[in-house]
Amino acid sequence: MEELLADIVGVLVTVVEACGAAIVITGAVWAFARFLWVGLRRRTTEAFVPVRLTLGRFLLLGLEFQLASDVLRTAVAPSFEELGLLAAVAAIRTALNYFLSREIADERRQVAEQEETGSAVDVTADEHRRRSA
Amino acid sequence: MTAALEEIAGLLAVCIGTAALIAGALALAVTHRPSLALSVFLDLLLAAGLLRLVGDPGWQAIVTVASIVVLRRLIGVGLRVGGRAWSSSGGGSGTRVGPLRSSAVARLVRPAWRS
């Protein structure tokens, strides 16, 4: 019975980890293509920020899957060495999850502030143009 | 099955590491902003590190990814603090160090009864 459980958990862990890895790979490839596009075509600093934000979201989603696989692994963890490794990996992934979500929130706030300042500058420029006309 | 997944993920991690170098160099060449280029480089490097953790990683892989995470945070904080000091001084490279140094020297040289 225990062996059957270990087999099932092993397959599930592999599937969930593969999903997480696929999400991370997709995000990285997409972000790399966008970085190339933005770098060669638009050539502005601001254009890089949304791409970084989206890559961060992909990484977060991939991390969630990987954390899920860690949780699944705790169902079957025979040796103390394996438990230590699992704890270290889970701690790294949880810390990454926390820092990444904070970074994304910071960047999003900065983008919103920049958009607000940009729109304020546009409004004053329009008013100035109207008055001078 | 896990070994195959680990092998594929390791191979892709190397590819993404190379892509990180290319993207970082491109960002630096285009924007001339090292902080942005470094962020781009470290973002993609983090993706590569996450892929290295797939499967049953050894202690070496774990330490590598952990050091990347710590390095990322350190560099990020350092650049943010540096950028804030740079912008608050309100000038170019010449105006940043001069007034700070001169005010510090003046404070040191000035006698206590004059303050």
Side-chain angles (χ1 to χ4, degrees), chain B residues 7-39:
Chain B
E7 204 172 311
I8 294 170
L11 195 67
L12 284 168
V14 174
C15 294
I16 291 174
T18 316
L21 266 176
I22 296 170
L26 181 72
L28 182 65
V30 167
T31 62
H32 300 290
R33 282 188 58 192
S35 58
L36 178 81
L38 206 61
S39 306

PDB file of all heavy atoms in Angstrom, chain B residues 7-39:
ATOM      1  N   GLU B   7      17.337  16.365 -16.720  1.00  0.00           N
ATOM      2  CA  GLU B   7      18.310  16.584 -17.788  1.00  0.00           C
ATOM      3  C   GLU B   7      17.840  17.682 -18.736  1.00  0.00           C
ATOM      4  O   GLU B   7      18.600  18.584 -19.104  1.00  0.00           O
ATOM      5  CB  GLU B   7      18.490  15.266 -18.556  1.00  0.00           C
ATOM      6  CG  GLU B   7      19.830  15.184 -19.265  1.00  0.00           C
ATOM      7  CD  GLU B   7      20.059  13.802 -19.839  1.00  0.00           C
ATOM      8  OE1 GLU B   7      19.860  12.816 -19.098  1.00  0.00           O
ATOM      9  OE2 GLU B   7      20.406  13.721 -21.004  1.00  0.00           O
ATOM     10  N   ILE B   8      16.554  17.603 -19.122  1.00  0.00           N
ATOM     11  CA  ILE B   8      16.003  18.609 -20.034  1.00  0.00           C
ATOM     12  C   ILE B   8      16.027  19.988 -19.377  1.00  0.00           C
ATOM     13  O   ILE B   8      16.412  20.985 -19.994  1.00  0.00           O
ATOM     14  CB  ILE B   8      14.556  18.221 -20.432  1.00  0.00           C
ATOM     15  CG1 ILE B   8      14.572  16.945 -21.257  1.00  0.00           C
ATOM     16  CG2 ILE B   8      13.898  19.335 -21.242  1.00  0.00           C
ATOM     17  CD1 ILE B   8      13.199  16.351 -21.488  1.00  0.00           C
ATOM     18  N   ALA B   9      15.617  20.027 -18.095  1.00  0.00           N
ATOM     19  CA  ALA B   9      15.579  21.310 -17.384  1.00  0.00           C
ATOM     20  C   ALA B   9      16.986  21.892 -17.251  1.00  0.00           C
ATOM     21  O   ALA B   9      17.175  23.105 -17.409  1.00  0.00           O
ATOM     22  CB  ALA B   9      14.951  21.112 -16.010  1.00  0.00           C
ATOM     23  N   GLY B  10      17.986  21.036 -16.996  1.00  0.00           N
ATOM     24  CA  GLY B  10      19.368  21.508 -16.888  1.00  0.00           C
ATOM     25  C   GLY B  10      19.865  22.087 -18.186  1.00  0.00           C
ATOM     26  O   GLY B  10      20.506  23.153 -18.216  1.00  0.00           O
ATOM     27  N   LEU B  11      19.530  21.407 -19.289  1.00  0.00           N
ATOM     28  CA  LEU B  11      19.947  21.884 -20.610  1.00  0.00           C
ATOM     29  C   LEU B  11      19.301  23.231 -20.917  1.00  0.00           C
ATOM     30  O   LEU B  11      19.957  24.176 -21.390  1.00  0.00           O
ATOM     31  CB  LEU B  11      19.522  20.847 -21.657  1.00  0.00           C
ATOM     32  CG  LEU B  11      20.155  20.975 -23.038  1.00  0.00           C
ATOM     33  CD1 LEU B  11      21.639  20.674 -22.940  1.00  0.00           C
ATOM     34  CD2 LEU B  11      19.477  20.025 -24.011  1.00  0.00           C
ATOM     35  N   LEU B  12      17.997  23.322 -20.626  1.00  0.00           N
ATOM     36  CA  LEU B  12      17.292  24.573 -20.882  1.00  0.00           C
ATOM     37  C   LEU B  12      17.792  25.688 -19.967  1.00  0.00           C
ATOM     38  O   LEU B  12      17.791  26.864 -20.351  1.00  0.00           O
ATOM     39  CB  LEU B  12      15.787  24.368 -20.703  1.00  0.00           C
ATOM     40  CG  LEU B  12      15.142  23.626 -21.868  1.00  0.00           C
ATOM     41  CD1 LEU B  12      13.739  23.189 -21.519  1.00  0.00           C
ATOM     42  CD2 LEU B  12      15.124  24.489 -23.113  1.00  0.00           C
ATOM     43  N   ALA B  13      18.215  25.322 -18.756  1.00  0.00           N
ATOM     44  CA  ALA B  13      18.751  26.337 -17.836  1.00  0.00           C
ATOM     45  C   ALA B  13      20.019  26.960 -18.413  1.00  0.00           C
ATOM     46  O   ALA B  13      20.215  28.178 -18.310  1.00  0.00           O
ATOM     47  CB  ALA B  13      19.043  25.700 -16.479  1.00  0.00           C
ATOM     48  N   VAL B  14      20.850  26.128 -19.040  1.00  0.00           N
ATOM     49  CA  VAL B  14      22.064  26.664 -19.675  1.00  0.00           C
ATOM     50  C   VAL B  14      21.689  27.614 -20.811  1.00  0.00           C
ATOM     51  O   VAL B  14      22.262  28.710 -20.957  1.00  0.00           O
ATOM     52  CB  VAL B  14      22.941  25.508 -20.196  1.00  0.00           C
ATOM     53  CG1 VAL B  14      24.129  26.043 -20.981  1.00  0.00           C
ATOM     54  CG2 VAL B  14      23.438  24.666 -19.039  1.00  0.00           C
ATOM     55  N   CYS B  15      20.683  27.197 -21.629  1.00  0.00           N
ATOM     56  CA  CYS B  15      20.235  28.043 -22.744  1.00  0.00           C
ATOM     57  C   CYS B  15      19.711  29.381 -22.226  1.00  0.00           C
ATOM     58  O   CYS B  15      20.013  30.447 -22.780  1.00  0.00           O
ATOM     59  CB  CYS B  15      19.131  27.349 -23.544  1.00  0.00           C
ATOM     60  SG  CYS B  15      19.675  25.882 -24.381  1.00  0.00           S
ATOM     61  N   ILE B  16      18.917  29.326 -21.150  1.00  0.00           N
ATOM     62  CA  ILE B  16      18.336  30.565 -20.614  1.00  0.00           C
ATOM     63  C   ILE B  16      19.425  31.435 -19.985  1.00  0.00           C
ATOM     64  O   ILE B  16      19.363  32.665 -20.060  1.00  0.00           O
ATOM     65  CB  ILE B  16      17.205  30.234 -19.610  1.00  0.00           C
ATOM     66  CG1 ILE B  16      16.029  29.633 -20.375  1.00  0.00           C
ATOM     67  CG2 ILE B  16      16.726  31.478 -18.879  1.00  0.00           C
ATOM     68  CD1 ILE B  16      14.914  29.143 -19.514  1.00  0.00           C
ATOM     69  N   GLY B  17      20.441  30.806 -19.409  1.00  0.00           N
ATOM     70  CA  GLY B  17      21.581  31.569 -18.887  1.00  0.00           C
ATOM     71  C   GLY B  17      22.283  32.343 -19.995  1.00  0.00           C
ATOM     72  O   GLY B  17      22.638  33.516 -19.827  1.00  0.00           O
ATOM     73  N   THR B  18      22.454  31.678 -21.148  1.00  0.00           N
ATOM     74  CA  THR B  18      23.057  32.363 -22.301  1.00  0.00           C
ATOM     75  C   THR B  18      22.154  33.497 -22.772  1.00  0.00           C
ATOM     76  O   THR B  18      22.629  34.601 -23.092  1.00  0.00           O
ATOM     77  CB  THR B  18      23.267  31.350 -23.453  1.00  0.00           C
ATOM     78  OG1 THR B  18      23.811  30.155 -22.913  1.00  0.00           O
ATOM     79  CG2 THR B  18      24.180  31.894 -24.505  1.00  0.00           C
ATOM     80  N   ALA B  19      20.851  33.203 -22.813  1.00  0.00           N
ATOM     81  CA  ALA B  19      19.897  34.236 -23.232  1.00  0.00           C
ATOM     82  C   ALA B  19      19.945  35.429 -22.281  1.00  0.00           C
ATOM     83  O   ALA B  19      19.813  36.584 -22.704  1.00  0.00           O
ATOM     84  CB  ALA B  19      18.487  33.650 -23.273  1.00  0.00           C
ATOM     85  N   ALA B  20      20.162  35.150 -20.990  1.00  0.00           N
ATOM     86  CA  ALA B  20      20.251  36.234 -20.004  1.00  0.00           C
ATOM     87  C   ALA B  20      21.435  37.138 -20.307  1.00  0.00           C
ATOM     88  O   ALA B  20      21.319  38.368 -20.246  1.00  0.00           O
ATOM     89  CB  ALA B  20      20.397  35.632 -18.606  1.00  0.00           C
ATOM     90  N   LEU B  21      22.557  36.520 -20.658  1.00  0.00           N
ATOM     91  CA  LEU B  21      23.744  37.318 -21.008  1.00  0.00           C
ATOM     92  C   LEU B  21      23.466  38.208 -22.214  1.00  0.00           C
ATOM     93  O   LEU B  21      23.781  39.410 -22.213  1.00  0.00           O
ATOM     94  CB  LEU B  21      24.906  36.370 -21.331  1.00  0.00           C
ATOM     95  CG  LEU B  21      25.857  36.032 -20.197  1.00  0.00           C
ATOM     96  CD1 LEU B  21      26.870  35.015 -20.663  1.00  0.00           C
ATOM     97  CD2 LEU B  21      26.576  37.299 -19.732  1.00  0.00           C
ATOM     98  N   ILE B  22      22.838  37.605 -23.246  1.00  0.00           N
ATOM     99  CA  ILE B  22      22.569  38.361 -24.480  1.00  0.00           C
ATOM    100  C   ILE B  22      21.604  39.513 -24.189  1.00  0.00           C
ATOM    101  O   ILE B  22      21.833  40.663 -24.599  1.00  0.00           O
ATOM    102  CB  ILE B  22      21.986  37.418 -25.556  1.00  0.00           C
ATOM    103  CG1 ILE B  22      23.026  36.364 -25.943  1.00  0.00           C
ATOM    104  CG2 ILE B  22      21.562  38.203 -26.784  1.00  0.00           C
ATOM    105  CD1 ILE B  22      22.480  35.249 -26.806  1.00  0.00           C
ATOM    106  N   ALA B  23      20.507  39.195 -23.462  1.00  0.00           N
ATOM    107  CA  ALA B  23      19.493  40.223 -23.188  1.00  0.00           C
ATOM    108  C   ALA B  23      20.077  41.345 -22.332  1.00  0.00           C
ATOM    109  O   ALA B  23      19.806  42.529 -22.569  1.00  0.00           O
ATOM    110  CB  ALA B  23      18.285  39.591 -22.513  1.00  0.00           C
ATOM    111  N   GLY B  24      20.896  40.979 -21.329  1.00  0.00           N
ATOM    112  CA  GLY B  24      21.508  41.999 -20.477  1.00  0.00           C
ATOM    113  C   GLY B  24      22.447  42.897 -21.268  1.00  0.00           C
ATOM    114  O   GLY B  24      22.426  44.121 -21.107  1.00  0.00           O
ATOM    115  N   ALA B  25      23.256  42.285 -22.139  1.00  0.00           N
ATOM    116  CA  ALA B  25      24.186  43.080 -22.953  1.00  0.00           C
ATOM    117  C   ALA B  25      23.424  44.003 -23.890  1.00  0.00           C
ATOM    118  O   ALA B  25      23.793  45.180 -24.074  1.00  0.00           O
ATOM    119  CB  ALA B  25      25.094  42.149 -23.750  1.00  0.00           C
ATOM    120  N   LEU B  26      22.335  43.482 -24.455  1.00  0.00           N
ATOM    121  CA  LEU B  26      21.529  44.308 -25.372  1.00  0.00           C
ATOM    122  C   LEU B  26      20.897  45.484 -24.622  1.00  0.00           C
ATOM    123  O   LEU B  26      20.913  46.626 -25.107  1.00  0.00           O
ATOM    124  CB  LEU B  26      20.430  43.445 -26.004  1.00  0.00           C
ATOM    125  CG  LEU B  26      19.535  44.160 -27.002  1.00  0.00           C
ATOM    126  CD1 LEU B  26      20.298  44.443 -28.285  1.00  0.00           C
ATOM    127  CD2 LEU B  26      18.306  43.343 -27.312  1.00  0.00           C
ATOM    128  N   ALA B  27      20.359  45.187 -23.419  1.00  0.00           N
ATOM    129  CA  ALA B  27      19.731  46.261 -22.638  1.00  0.00           C
ATOM    130  C   ALA B  27      20.762  47.327 -22.281  1.00  0.00           C
ATOM    131  O   ALA B  27      20.470  48.530 -22.323  1.00  0.00           O
ATOM    132  CB  ALA B  27      19.104  45.682 -21.372  1.00  0.00           C
ATOM    133  N   LEU B  28      21.978  46.899 -21.946  1.00  0.00           N
ATOM    134  CA  LEU B  28      23.028  47.859 -21.600  1.00  0.00           C
ATOM    135  C   LEU B  28      23.423  48.691 -22.814  1.00  0.00           C
ATOM    136  O   LEU B  28      23.596  49.919 -22.731  1.00  0.00           O
ATOM    137  CB  LEU B  28      24.252  47.119 -21.052  1.00  0.00           C
ATOM    138  CG  LEU B  28      25.414  47.987 -20.596  1.00  0.00           C
ATOM    139  CD1 LEU B  28      24.998  48.832 -19.394  1.00  0.00           C
ATOM    140  CD2 LEU B  28      26.612  47.146 -20.234  1.00  0.00           C
ATOM    141  N   ALA B  29      23.522  48.019 -23.972  1.00  0.00           N
ATOM    142  CA  ALA B  29      23.934  48.735 -25.176  1.00  0.00           C
ATOM    143  C   ALA B  29      22.868  49.736 -25.623  1.00  0.00           C
ATOM    144  O   ALA B  29      23.191  50.818 -26.113  1.00  0.00           O
ATOM    145  CB  ALA B  29      24.215  47.732 -26.295  1.00  0.00           C
ATOM    146  N   VAL B  30      21.602  49.369 -25.431  1.00  0.00           N
ATOM    147  CA  VAL B  30      20.519  50.220 -25.941  1.00  0.00           C
ATOM    148  C   VAL B  30      20.221  51.376 -24.991  1.00  0.00           C
ATOM    149  O   VAL B  30      20.080  52.520 -25.406  1.00  0.00           O
ATOM    150  CB  VAL B  30      19.259  49.356 -26.176  1.00  0.00           C
ATOM    151  CG1 VAL B  30      18.048  50.230 -26.395  1.00  0.00           C
ATOM    152  CG2 VAL B  30      19.473  48.456 -27.374  1.00  0.00           C
ATOM    153  N   THR B  31      20.122  51.064 -23.683  1.00  0.00           N
ATOM    154  CA  THR B  31      19.659  52.094 -22.744  1.00  0.00           C
ATOM    155  C   THR B  31      20.802  52.810 -22.020  1.00  0.00           C
ATOM    156  O   THR B  31      20.581  53.858 -21.436  1.00  0.00           O
ATOM    157  CB  THR B  31      18.741  51.479 -21.669  1.00  0.00           C
ATOM    158  OG1 THR B  31      19.489  50.530 -20.924  1.00  0.00           O
ATOM    159  CG2 THR B  31      17.552  50.804 -22.296  1.00  0.00           C
ATOM    160  N   HIS B  32      21.990  52.239 -22.015  1.00  0.00           N
ATOM    161  CA  HIS B  32      23.145  52.778 -21.277  1.00  0.00           C
ATOM    162  C   HIS B  32      22.836  52.900 -19.787  1.00  0.00           C
ATOM    163  O   HIS B  32      23.342  53.805 -19.124  1.00  0.00           O
ATOM    164  CB  HIS B  32      23.568  54.142 -21.832  1.00  0.00           C
ATOM    165  CG  HIS B  32      23.950  54.081 -23.272  1.00  0.00           C
ATOM    166  ND1 HIS B  32      25.087  53.459 -23.707  1.00  0.00           N
ATOM    167  CD2 HIS B  32      23.325  54.532 -24.379  1.00  0.00           C
ATOM    168  CE1 HIS B  32      25.150  53.547 -25.029  1.00  0.00           C
ATOM    169  NE2 HIS B  32      24.088  54.183 -25.451  1.00  0.00           N
ATOM    170  N   ARG B  33      21.961  52.027 -19.290  1.00  0.00           N
ATOM    171  CA  ARG B  33      21.650  52.042 -17.845  1.00  0.00           C
ATOM    172  C   ARG B  33      22.036  50.685 -17.253  1.00  0.00           C
ATOM    173  O   ARG B  33      21.340  49.687 -17.456  1.00  0.00           O
ATOM    174  CB  ARG B  33      20.159  52.302 -17.617  1.00  0.00           C
ATOM    175  CG  ARG B  33      19.804  53.765 -17.775  1.00  0.00           C
ATOM    176  CD  ARG B  33      18.389  54.012 -17.363  1.00  0.00           C
ATOM    177  NE  ARG B  33      18.133  53.618 -15.982  1.00  0.00           N
ATOM    178  CZ  ARG B  33      16.913  53.527 -15.462  1.00  0.00           C
ATOM    179  NH1 ARG B  33      15.867  53.791 -16.204  1.00  0.00           N
ATOM    180  NH2 ARG B  33      16.755  53.179 -14.213  1.00  0.00           N
ATOM    181  N   PRO B  34      23.144  50.643 -16.513  1.00  0.00           N
ATOM    182  CA  PRO B  34      23.610  49.356 -15.972  1.00  0.00           C
ATOM    183  C   PRO B  34      22.610  48.706 -15.027  1.00  0.00           C
ATOM    184  O   PRO B  34      22.502  47.487 -14.982  1.00  0.00           O
ATOM    185  CB  PRO B  34      24.880  49.730 -15.217  1.00  0.00           C
ATOM    186  CG  PRO B  34      25.275  51.054 -15.707  1.00  0.00           C
ATOM    187  CD  PRO B  34      24.051  51.747 -16.185  1.00  0.00           C
ATOM    188  N   SER B  35      21.857  49.524 -14.266  1.00  0.00           N
ATOM    189  CA  SER B  35      20.910  48.938 -13.302  1.00  0.00           C
ATOM    190  C   SER B  35      19.823  48.159 -14.029  1.00  0.00           C
ATOM    191  O   SER B  35      19.460  47.053 -13.622  1.00  0.00           O
ATOM    192  CB  SER B  35      20.291  50.031 -12.444  1.00  0.00           C
ATOM    193  OG  SER B  35      19.645  50.969 -13.250  1.00  0.00           O
ATOM    194  N   LEU B  36      19.305  48.737 -15.114  1.00  0.00           N
ATOM    195  CA  LEU B  36      18.262  48.043 -15.872  1.00  0.00           C
ATOM    196  C   LEU B  36      18.813  46.774 -16.521  1.00  0.00           C
ATOM    197  O   LEU B  36      18.183  45.710 -16.482  1.00  0.00           O
ATOM    198  CB  LEU B  36      17.694  48.975 -16.941  1.00  0.00           C
ATOM    199  CG  LEU B  36      16.645  48.331 -17.812  1.00  0.00           C
ATOM    200  CD1 LEU B  36      15.303  48.336 -17.108  1.00  0.00           C
ATOM    201  CD2 LEU B  36      16.521  49.032 -19.143  1.00  0.00           C
ATOM    202  N   ALA B  37      20.015  46.902 -17.105  1.00  0.00           N
ATOM    203  CA  ALA B  37      20.622  45.741 -17.767  1.00  0.00           C
ATOM    204  C   ALA B  37      20.864  44.617 -16.766  1.00  0.00           C
ATOM    205  O   ALA B  37      20.618  43.443 -17.054  1.00  0.00           O
ATOM    206  CB  ALA B  37      21.933  46.157 -18.428  1.00  0.00           C
ATOM    207  N   LEU B  38      21.298  45.008 -15.571  1.00  0.00           N
ATOM    208  CA  LEU B  38      21.554  44.021 -14.525  1.00  0.00           C
ATOM    209  C   LEU B  38      20.249  43.350 -14.082  1.00  0.00           C
ATOM    210  O   LEU B  38      20.208  42.140 -13.835  1.00  0.00           O
ATOM    211  CB  LEU B  38      22.215  44.711 -13.336  1.00  0.00           C
ATOM    212  CG  LEU B  38      23.086  43.841 -12.467  1.00  0.00           C
ATOM    213  CD1 LEU B  38      24.233  43.277 -13.270  1.00  0.00           C
ATOM    214  CD2 LEU B  38      23.617  44.642 -11.297  1.00  0.00           C
ATOM    215  N   SER B  39      19.184  44.136 -13.990  1.00  0.00           N
ATOM    216  CA  SER B  39      17.889  43.564 -13.606  1.00  0.00           C
ATOM    217  C   SER B  39      17.413  42.547 -14.641  1.00  0.00           C
ATOM    218  O   SER B  39      16.945  41.465 -14.289  1.00  0.00           O
ATOM    219  CB  SER B  39      16.836  44.667 -13.475  1.00  0.00           C
ATOM    220  OG  SER B  39      17.275  45.651 -12.625  1.00  0.00           O
TER     221      SER B  39
END
